[in-house]
Amino acid sequence: MHILEEGKGEYLKVDPDAYRAWARDNKPHQMVSKLMSEKEAVERFVHDGDYLAYDCDYFHRGPNSLIREIIRQRKKNLWICGKFTYVDCSLFVGSECADRIDVGFIGFGPWISQAVREKKVAIYEYSNAIMTLRLKAGAMGVPFIPARSFGGTDGFKYSGCKIVEDPYTGRPVLIVPALNPDAAIIHVHQADEYGNARVFGTGITHQECALASRRVILSAEQIVSTDELRRDPGRTSIPHFAVDAVVHAPFGAYPGTVQGYYASDPAGVIEVMGAMYKGNFRNYLEKHIYSVSSHAEYLDKVVGAAKLAEMRRRETIREGYGI
Amino acid sequence: MSRPATNFNEREFTICQVARVVEEKYIYWVGAGGEPQSSVLLAKRTTAPNLQYFTEDGVIGPEALLPLDPLMNMVNSFANYRAIQWATMNYVADLAQLGYVDYGILNTLQVDRYGNINSNVVGRYAGGEGRRFGGPGGADSIAALAWRTILVTDQHKRKFVERVDFISSPGFLDGPGARERHGLPPGTGPWRVYTPWAMFGYTKDCQLELQAIAPYVPAEDVLAEMSFKPAIAAKLEVMDVPTEEELTVLRTQIDVAGQVTDRGRWVELSNGTYRFADSGS
């Protein structure tokens, strides 16, 4: 294929054959229970130096209890898939967990800007949909996918994308490198103990993220029976064999919303936004992450039952969420 | 109810202008939050109740239940209420790539002569020197794939620049044919830019053209707030001010807390002419 133009950004090595071998050798083909604590799940399935993807973000059905656990365990040198996200990357950079970010959209606060200037964090440029397309290629077992966007931008120059001559039409077309993250964390509405899971409402890329990633941790608002899932198989979003760990995490997306289950906590949203922009991040990390040892303790001691009840009460819409 | 308003602010003016060009016969992909989302919500509650729009979280044709909580513009039961379909980001990008999206509506930090959009960095990119912003997000896909793109921004010299510091999302790049050379679908591109003071279109050779002005700002003031001289239409139109009905819907249903509109200068009708309320007598 004739290459017309290429970005100079570093990108995670593309190797679909290696992923196939991983799916054969390391993915749990048999239905086995994977219920565990967030501490155990993160200890076992997120490693220093991993490429980490997560779905949605800190305000919208994000895997926030797992994000907080990763920070609590002080993981190092993570390479973050920064698409459709806001404060999350600042949390990872401010806590010195991450040193590389593929950016579709992230909230740049003073922390990330300073880390970039000091060369503690490397940034590679994409768009949100180019990142989800990279995950889609990763979830299809192919090395790349063509796209009709992102060409002509300056972001392209700092990405792993290329523009090639399409062998079918002869016209220029952009291709994106497949992305197979080392680890993914995804928050879902319902899962069984094996990791069969349902996501209700819109989402960014939960299914692609689960299928593309080598090690996958789900946190679930509700643990349901497999019989319950079998009653309506069309609603299963993620199959068990893609999943390594299932963590029961009610209010796992606090301070964000989980559609149909609870509304966001506006004060909690504004508190973390303020920390990102005003630079009192260490206080935020201390109060919301390091001062507790688990998500359950966080909800109990820092957030409080009254606030959680209020979030449930404010989510008045049930229609479409299977409840 | 639909009489011209005598008191409004600049941002309300822009939102109403964009809402008025939104039509039910087209499909829109809209940047979430800010003026773009306010404009489609306003159109849906005034002139175009059956309007269909997408946001990048995969919502197809919602009928949002308002008002929305802060930052809850997507992946949220209120923003996505009673949609036709709930899907994912790749699905919406595919629909746009297929040609279903007639118009995209976006805002930007900077725009240049060719309608290129910068939402990454103001200043130098290299070494992280410039002031960094979030990145293109969904805007690059919208600007690349929608048949026509509407841009919303403020009328400031630092925003209208000869060349953006960083092309986050493509306008016409450097002129006719450039989009196609970089793999973008033919026949797509920028259509209009709206600011609180003016409306711009594009010339045949893809350059920004001043086409209309607000009744409270002379053309020379618009040009003074640009770092380059744009083309100017042979006849400059004067845009209509918001109506009382539009403002009532905007203020009581859409932007109740003033998160979007509570920043512009106020305009008032005084002795038969519209002028800035802070401009003295």
Side-chain angles (χ1 to χ4, degrees), chain A residues 68-177:
Chain A
R68 289 186 285 261
E69 182 61 26
I70 287 170
I71 292 170
R72 199 177 291 123
Q73 291 189 20
R74 298 178 195 273
K75 299 290 181 185
K76 292 287 172 219
N77 306 116
L78 299 176
W79 185 347
I80 307 290
C81 180
K83 48 126 177 80
F84 191 86
T85 180
Y86 215 117
V87 298
D88 319 51
C89 284
S90 271
L91 288 168
F92 283 126
V93 170
S95 59
E96 299 183 0
C97 293
D99 60 10
R100 283 177 284 188
I101 309 173
D102 286 340
V103 174
F105 185 92
I106 70 171
F108 269 84
W111 290 87
I112 298 183
S113 299
Q114 189 184 335
V116 170
R117 279 192 292 271
E118 291 172 356
K119 299 199 187 322
K120 289 179 180 163
V121 170
I123 299 285
Y124 311 108
E125 308 289 351
Y126 296 91
S127 72
N128 281 343
I130 291 294
M131 287 309 296
T132 58
L133 195 61
R134 291 186 62 196
L135 288 165
K136 185 172 175 176
M140 289 171 68
V142 298
F144 62 86
I145 289 186
R148 308 293 304 278
S149 61
F150 201 49
T153 64
D154 284 323
F156 167 83
K157 298 171 187 167
Y158 303 96
S159 77
C161 298
K162 301 174 195 290
I163 294 174
V164 300
E165 187 183 291
D166 170 5
Y168 294 100
T169 66
R171 298 184 197 122
V173 70
L174 182 122
I175 55 174
V176 310

Side-chain angles (χ1 to χ4, degrees), chain A residues 44-315:
Chain A
R44 285 175 58 187
F45 298 112
V46 179
H47 307 325
D48 290 352
D50 272 357
Y51 190 108
L52 177 72
Y54 51 91
D55 198 52
C56 291
D57 80 312
Y58 214 67
F59 301 145
H60 311 92
R61 198 177 36 74
N64 300 353
S65 62
L66 296 171
I67 288 174
R68 289 186 285 261
E69 182 61 26
I70 287 170
I71 292 170
R72 199 177 291 123
Q73 291 189 20
R74 298 178 195 273
K75 299 290 181 185
K76 292 287 172 219
N77 306 116
L78 299 176
W79 185 347
I80 307 290
C81 180
K83 48 126 177 80
F84 191 86
T85 180
Y86 215 117
V87 298
D88 319 51
C89 284
S90 271
L91 288 168
F92 283 126
V93 170
S95 59
E96 299 183 0
C97 293
D99 60 10
R100 283 177 284 188
I101 309 173
D102 286 340
V103 174
F105 185 92
I106 70 171
F108 269 84
W111 290 87
I112 298 183
S113 299
Q114 189 184 335
V116 170
R117 279 192 292 271
E118 291 172 356
K119 299 199 187 322
K120 289 179 180 163
V121 170
I123 299 285
Y124 311 108
E125 308 289 351
Y126 296 91
S127 72
N128 281 343
I130 291 294
M131 287 309 296
T132 58
L133 195 61
R134 291 186 62 196
L135 288 165
K136 185 172 175 176
M140 289 171 68
V142 298
F144 62 86
I145 289 186
R148 308 293 304 278
S149 61
F150 201 49
T153 64
D154 284 323
F156 167 83
K157 298 171 187 167
Y158 303 96
S159 77
C161 298
K162 301 174 195 290
I163 294 174
V164 300
E165 187 183 291
D166 170 5
Y168 294 100
T169 66
R171 298 184 197 122
V173 70
L174 182 122
I175 55 174
V176 310
L179 178 58
N180 290 110
D182 299 301
I185 50 176
I186 304 165
H187 191 60
V188 301
H189 287 79
Q190 299 177 337
D192 69 9
E193 61 181 314
Y194 309 108
N196 299 301
R198 289 169 166 173
V199 170
F200 302 137
T202 62
I204 302 307
T205 178
H206 43 274
Q207 192 176 61
E208 298 93 322
C209 206
L211 294 174
S213 301
R214 283 181 159 74
R215 294 175 247 113
V216 174
I217 307 173
L218 301 185
S219 54
E221 287 294 328
Q222 281 186 297
I223 302 297
V224 297
S225 71
T226 309
D227 271 352
E228 164 65 22
L229 294 172
R230 286 187 193 277
R231 271 196 272 276
D232 195 354
R235 299 189 72 158
T236 303
S237 317
I238 296 170
H240 71 92
F241 42 79
V243 176
D244 295 280
V246 179
V247 178
H248 185 207
F251 289 99
Y254 179 88
T257 179
V258 169
Q259 315 101 292
Y261 281 34
Y262 48 87
S264 68
D265 171 24
V269 165
I270 288 163
E271 186 181 358
V272 69
M273 281 286 282
M276 183 181 94
Y277 282 118
K278 289 181 180 158
N280 55 347
F281 226 57
R282 287 190 208 292
N283 295 340
Y284 187 88
L285 294 174
E286 187 54 41
K287 175 181 165 191
H288 290 270
I289 298 178
Y290 298 133
S291 76
V292 292
S293 60
S294 69
H295 179 59
E297 191 186 344
Y298 175 60
L299 294 184
D300 185 37
K301 290 192 178 159
V302 180
V303 181
K307 187 158 274 183
L308 300 178
E310 173 70 5
M311 290 166 75
R312 280 242 200 269
R313 191 191 63 74
R314 291 204 316 116
E315 180 61 313

Side-chain angles (χ1 to χ4, degrees), chain A residues 5 56 59-60 84 103-106 108 116-117 123 125-129 132-133 136 147-155 158 163 172 201-204 206 208 257 259 264 269 273 314-317 319-321, chain B residues 56-59 65 69 71-72 74-78 80-82 86-90 93-94 97 120 125 127-128 132-138 140-141 144-145 166-168 170 173 180-186:
Chain A
E5 230 186 309
C56 291
F59 301 145
H60 311 92
F84 191 86
V103 174
F105 185 92
I106 70 171
F108 269 84
V116 170
R117 279 192 292 271
I123 299 285
E125 308 289 351
Y126 296 91
S127 72
N128 281 343
T132 58
L133 195 61
K136 185 172 175 176
R148 308 293 304 278
S149 61
F150 201 49
T153 64
D154 284 323
Y158 303 96
I163 294 174
T202 62
I204 302 307
H206 43 274
E208 298 93 322
T257 179
Q259 315 101 292
S264 68
V269 165
M273 281 286 282
R314 291 204 316 116
E315 180 61 313
T316 51
I317 298 173
E319 206 175 315
Y321 298 102
Chain B
E56 61 174 330
D57 61 329
V59 75
L65 195 61
D69 282 342
L71 294 165
M72 291 296 141
M74 292 188 276
V75 200
N76 169 268
S77 65
F78 282 67
N80 293 352
Y81 189 52
R82 289 181 58 80
W86 285 334
T88 61
M89 185 179 286
N90 278 324
D94 287 350
Q97 202 158 259
N120 275 73
Y125 177 80
R132 192 54 217 243
F133 293 84
D140 168 66
S141 306
L145 302 172
F166 192 97
I167 300 179
S168 306
L173 300 175
E180 291 81 357
R181 282 195 295 279
H182 289 91
L184 307 183

Side-chain angles (χ1 to χ4, degrees), chain B residues 39 47 114 162 217:
Chain B
S39 293
T47 55
Y114 289 107
E162 178 67 41
V217 184

Side-chain angles (χ1 to χ4, degrees), chain B residues 179-196:
Chain B
R179 289 172 65 92
E180 291 81 357
R181 282 195 295 279
H182 289 91
L184 307 183
T188 56
W191 183 58
R192 281 185 180 173
V193 179
Y194 285 90
T195 78

Side-chain angles (χ1 to χ4, degrees), chain B residues 144-159:
Chain B
L145 302 172
W147 288 106
R148 289 171 153 181
T149 303
I150 298 169
L151 206 55
V152 182
T153 192
D154 289 331
Q155 192 69 53
H156 289 310
K157 226 177 164 90
R158 64 175 194 279
K159 287 186 174 283

